[in-house]
Amino acid sequence: MRELKILVALLVLTLVIALITSLGFLGRALWRNYWWEQEVYGLTGMVATTQAMEDFRHGKLRLRAIQGENDEPRYSGSNDGPFEIWIVQYYPSLPYPHHYSTEQQVEFYNRKMRHMHKHPENFVDQTNTEAQKRRP
């Protein structure tokens, strides 16, 4: 009877250690995933904002959308007010990181493009001479 109690105690101890170890690995994975998403969010935002500014400076008023599998960016044939709607490259069969990155890219690009269209005076390129004239 005593050996059975010792065996049960060892089994319980082993299970508790396994549970704590598993929770540690889960915590580490969640922490890494959080920082991975933050990094993708920041980098994708920077790239999409730069692309939107470049398009705006070239007179291209576009918004981006995700519409199923698509091999390369293409015009959808529709507009939203003055904006052409472009379908971005997207592969639904790829895993979550691709989906997350593409969704963030579309959001950032569209937000920046709408903002620049609403406030075009803030996005006029200045030459060095014009910038120096404004300095006191």
Side-chain angles (χ1 to χ4, degrees), residues 41-115:
Y41 181 84
L43 291 173
T44 301
M46 180 180 64
V47 169
T49 298
T50 302
Q51 290 171 342
M53 291 176 74
E54 193 66 26
D55 283 349
F56 186 80
R57 286 189 183 114
H58 287 100
K60 299 174 185 173
L61 294 178
R62 297 178 174 167
L63 294 177
R64 293 181 175 175
I66 300 171
Q67 289 185 357
E69 187 167 330
N70 188 38
D71 288 331
E72 59 186 50
R74 63 180 168 83
Y75 177 55
S76 69
S78 63
N79 289 31
D80 180 4
F83 302 102
E84 294 179 345
I85 306 296
W86 280 71
I87 310 303
V88 297
Q89 184 180 31
Y90 184 71
Y91 302 101
S93 60
L94 291 178
Y96 172 71
H98 173 71
H99 298 256
Y100 181 78
S101 175
T102 305
E103 289 167 0
Q104 296 307 312
Q105 184 268 344
V106 167
E107 271 187 49
F108 272 101
Y109 183 93
N110 292 349
R111 189 178 323 131
K112 186 65 173 183
M113 185 61 73
R114 287 184 190 278
H115 178 73

